[in-house]
């Protein structure tokens, strides 16, 4: 059985293309539906299988977050049956999934954390996030791109902030004024079919000081959850590790409802720590979708992990009998 470091995806994972995958007869799906009723929110199965796609509905934080969370939890359970999962982490919202997957929260409380955080964030949604590449065509960090991002943030007058360190991309966030500034301060970059900077639809200024009011409310509202030491090591958005034998549940709670909300999230650092501290055979990526595949490849390239130092090296490794990343969905 291969040793895997498992990382759960964030908000961008669910799209029109990934719909229709939630199992209708799984007991966890049934329980999630019961919990949704408690919040007076629409059926996840109806959203995933029956309701015609409408971005403003399906991608609304209070709907898309549980759709992603449930799909990821189900995939992670499958991954744990076929791999020796040595640590668990996630990107942004994926941290809430990781808490349930690792056992720091049970299914019900993990769902409640994710659902209530999505609602709280919607209530403080002024501003947004955007994506900007830091890499060249071989997925190696380009210092010129890094400098452009630094300059754009420095000249924003405190209206824009770093949000997520996401492999070969910077996720930036800020007020509407800050978003407008970044759109003009950052040179256009074309990568494949995509043009950057790219505003992320229906995303708020997550992981910045602008969400401190959300953190304050979350600590009061969600501290009631039954936090506990994880059953599998957890790697957070700072690269800190919570182990089954040493974790203080109160520290996990305080990080989740504090720094995780209002300070930058280091997904890159989390993957780097997982590689260096746990030496997995591969990175395991639950669905929906496979949004973290290329991003994790970019971290592997920056690390030179197992000789992977370019996009070409990564693609060769993936075609071999010992791939370094396993995306559970396509």
């Amino acid at each position: 059985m291969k040793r895997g470091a498992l990382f759960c995806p964030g908000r961008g994972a669910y799209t029109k293309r990934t719909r229709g995958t939630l199992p209708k007869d799984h007991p966890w799906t049934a329980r999630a539906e019961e919990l949704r009723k408690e919040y007076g929110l629409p059926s996840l199965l109806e959203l995933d299988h029956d309701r015609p796609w409408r971005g403003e509905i399906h991608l609304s934080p209070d709907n898309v977050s549980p759709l992603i969370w449930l799909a990821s939890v189900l995939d992670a359970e499958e991954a744990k049956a076929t791999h020796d999962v040595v640590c668990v982490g996630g990107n942004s919202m994926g941290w809430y999934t990781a808490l349930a997957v690792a056992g720091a929260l049970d299914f019900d409380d993990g769902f409640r954390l994710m659902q209530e955080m999505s609602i709280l964030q919607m209530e403080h949604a002024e501003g947004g996030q955007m994506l900007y590449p830091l890499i060249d065509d071989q997925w190696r960090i380009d210092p010129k791109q890094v400098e452009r991002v630094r300059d754009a943030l420095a000249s924003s007058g405190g209206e824009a902030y770093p949000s997520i360190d996401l492999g070969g991309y910077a996720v930036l966030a800020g007020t509407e004024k800050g978003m407008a500034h970044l759109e003009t301060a950052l040179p256009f970059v074309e990568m494949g079919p995509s043009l950057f900077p790219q505003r992320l639809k229906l995303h708020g200024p997550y992981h910045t000081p602008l969400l401190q009011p959300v953190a304050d409310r979350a600590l009061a509202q969600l501290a009631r959850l039954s936090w506990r030491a994880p059953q599998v090591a957890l790697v957070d958005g700072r690269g800190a590790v919570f182990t089954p034998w040493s974790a203080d549940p109160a520290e996990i709670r305080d990080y989740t409802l504090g720094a995780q909300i209002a300070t930058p999230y280091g997904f890159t650092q989390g993957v780097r720590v997982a590689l260096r501290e746990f030496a997995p055979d591969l990175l395991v990526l639950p669905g929906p979708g496979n949004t973290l595949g290329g991003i994790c490849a970019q971290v592997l390239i920056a690390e030179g992990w197992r000789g992977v130092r370019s996009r070409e090296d990564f693609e060769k490794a993936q075609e071999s009998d010992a791939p370094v990343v396993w995306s559970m969905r396509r």
Side-chain angles (χ1 to χ4, degrees), residues 253-272:
R253 176 200 65 202
D254 292 348
Y255 165 73
T256 300
L257 305 180
Q260 187 272 143
I261 297 171
T263 63
Y265 196 93
F267 179 74
T268 298
Q269 180 67 1
V271 175
R272 185 180 294 129

Side-chain angles (χ1 to χ4, degrees), residues 125-191:
E126 199 248 326
Q129 278 182 323
M130 68 173 50
L131 191 66
Y132 196 72
L134 304 174
I135 48 175
D136 61 21
D137 60 2
Q138 281 296 311
W139 290 357
R140 293 176 291 224
I141 295 295
D142 182 345
K144 292 181 181 179
Q145 289 293 94
V146 174
E147 191 63 28
R148 286 167 176 164
V149 169
R150 288 175 181 163
D151 289 347
L153 290 172
S155 60
S156 73
E159 299 285 344
Y161 304 86
S163 176
I164 306 174
D165 182 0
L166 191 61
Y169 293 85
V171 180
L172 310 172
T175 63
E176 287 299 333
K177 184 177 179 180
M179 292 292 94
H181 168 78
L182 292 174
E183 287 171 349
T184 58
L186 291 169
F188 287 114
V189 174
E190 190 172 354
M191 295 193 71

Side-chain angles (χ1 to χ4, degrees), residues 39-279:
Y39 290 99
L41 293 169
S43 160
L44 295 178
L45 284 176
E46 180 184 337
L47 288 167
D48 191 53
H49 290 273
D50 303 323
R51 186 176 294 195
W53 175 267
R54 289 181 60 189
E56 64 271 25
I57 294 175
H58 284 85
L59 299 181
S60 178
D62 57 344
N63 290 332
V64 76
S65 295
L67 287 165
I68 293 168
W69 186 93
L70 182 56
S72 297
V73 167
L74 289 164
D75 276 5
E77 194 66 13
E78 177 185 334
K80 288 193 287 185
T82 56
H83 291 75
D84 176 14
V85 174
V86 294
C87 64
V88 179
N91 172 40
S92 189
M93 190 219 92
W95 171 250
Y96 305 145
T97 317
L99 290 166
V101 170
L105 292 171
D106 65 17
F107 182 91
D108 283 16
D109 276 354
F111 188 95
R112 290 187 180 104
L113 169 69
M114 167 278 306
Q115 188 66 81
E116 293 186 34
M117 282 302 307
S118 70
I119 294 169
L120 284 173
Q121 289 167 345
M122 288 178 68
E123 294 172 358
H124 295 79
E126 199 248 326
Q129 278 182 323
M130 68 173 50
L131 191 66
Y132 196 72
L134 304 174
I135 48 175
D136 61 21
D137 60 2
Q138 281 296 311
W139 290 357
R140 293 176 291 224
I141 295 295
D142 182 345
K144 292 181 181 179
Q145 289 293 94
V146 174
E147 191 63 28
R148 286 167 176 164
V149 169
R150 288 175 181 163
D151 289 347
L153 290 172
S155 60
S156 73
E159 299 285 344
Y161 304 86
S163 176
I164 306 174
D165 182 0
L166 191 61
Y169 293 85
V171 180
L172 310 172
T175 63
E176 287 299 333
K177 184 177 179 180
M179 292 292 94
H181 168 78
L182 292 174
E183 287 171 349
T184 58
L186 291 169
F188 287 114
V189 174
E190 190 172 354
M191 295 193 71
S194 300
L195 187 65
F196 300 91
Q198 188 177 106
R199 180 80 179 254
L200 300 178
K201 187 176 182 180
L202 297 177
H203 284 228
Y206 310 137
H207 311 296
T208 75
L210 297 173
L211 284 197
Q212 188 58 50
V214 171
D216 294 339
R217 288 187 60 188
L219 188 58
Q221 182 171 317
L222 289 162
R224 74 183 193 282
L225 303 180
S226 296
W227 302 85
R228 57 198 184 189
Q231 298 166 359
V232 180
L234 271 167
V235 184
D236 72 15
R238 304 164 298 184
V241 180
F242 299 102
T243 65
W245 53 87
S246 66
D248 179 352
E251 289 185 9
I252 300 175
R253 176 200 65 202
D254 292 348
Y255 165 73
T256 300
L257 305 180
Q260 187 272 143
I261 297 171
T263 63
Y265 196 93
F267 179 74
T268 298
Q269 180 67 1
V271 175
R272 185 180 294 129
V273 166
L275 295 172
R276 295 181 181 183
E277 297 295 325
F278 296 92

Side-chain angles (χ1 to χ4, degrees), residues 293-325:
I295 289 161
C296 284
Q298 292 148 17
V299 181
L300 295 172
I301 290 166
E303 288 288 286
W305 183 253
R306 298 187 179 173
V308 174
R309 294 184 171 83
S310 67
R311 180 175 184 174
E312 183 179 352
D313 290 342
F314 172 73
E315 290 171 349
K316 286 180 180 178
Q318 290 300 95
E319 293 168 0
S320 74
D321 58 1
V324 289
V325 171

